[in-house]
Amino acid sequence: RRPLLQQRPNSLSRATSFLHREYKLQWYWWEEVELARKIMLTGFFALIGPRDEASSFVRLIFATVLSMVYAVLVALVQPFKRFEDA
């Protein structure tokens, strides 16, 4: 964290730059939020209930709510360097 904030990259921060280079400096950790969202959408929601229509609808609702919350967070926080990345 310190090399990023001091803008003096070390070998570790250069090697992991693909994880944080598209984010503003203070939001370098936003990739973790993105990964958590993806894991919840693809893995966690699949575990909800049995494989019937009612459970599928509940999974759809949870996924929609999560996606809407994430969209609002991105709009409020604006973690990306470029507008097109959002």
Side-chain angles (χ1 to χ4, degrees), residues 5-30:
L5 295 177
Q6 293 176 349
Q7 295 183 349
R8 293 184 179 164
N10 60 16
S11 60
L12 178 62
S13 63
R14 282 191 294 273
T16 59
S17 66
F18 68 94
L19 293 173
H20 56 79
R21 71 175 148 230
E22 62 190 46
Y23 303 108
K24 294 177 184 174
L25 187 58
Q26 67 270 25
W27 298 104
Y28 68 93
W29 51 269
W30 191 261

Side-chain angles (χ1 to χ4, degrees), residues 63-79:
T64 303
V65 169
L66 176 68
S67 297
M68 290 171 54
V69 167
Y70 180 77
V72 169
L73 277 175
V74 168
L76 291 175
V77 172
Q78 298 178 352

Side-chain angles (χ1 to χ4, degrees), residues 13-59:
S13 63
R14 282 191 294 273
T16 59
S17 66
F18 68 94
L19 293 173
H20 56 79
R21 71 175 148 230
E22 62 190 46
Y23 303 108
K24 294 177 184 174
L25 187 58
Q26 67 270 25
W27 298 104
Y28 68 93
W29 51 269
W30 191 261
E31 184 66 24
E32 295 172 12
V33 174
E34 178 71 18
L35 289 173
R37 180 186 69 89
K38 289 177 182 179
I39 288 171
M40 289 185 73
L41 285 175
T42 59
F44 180 71
F45 290 147
L47 301 175
I48 297 175
R51 302 278 184 222
D52 60 0
E53 284 188 33
S55 294
S56 295
F57 184 71
V58 170
R59 284 193 294 273

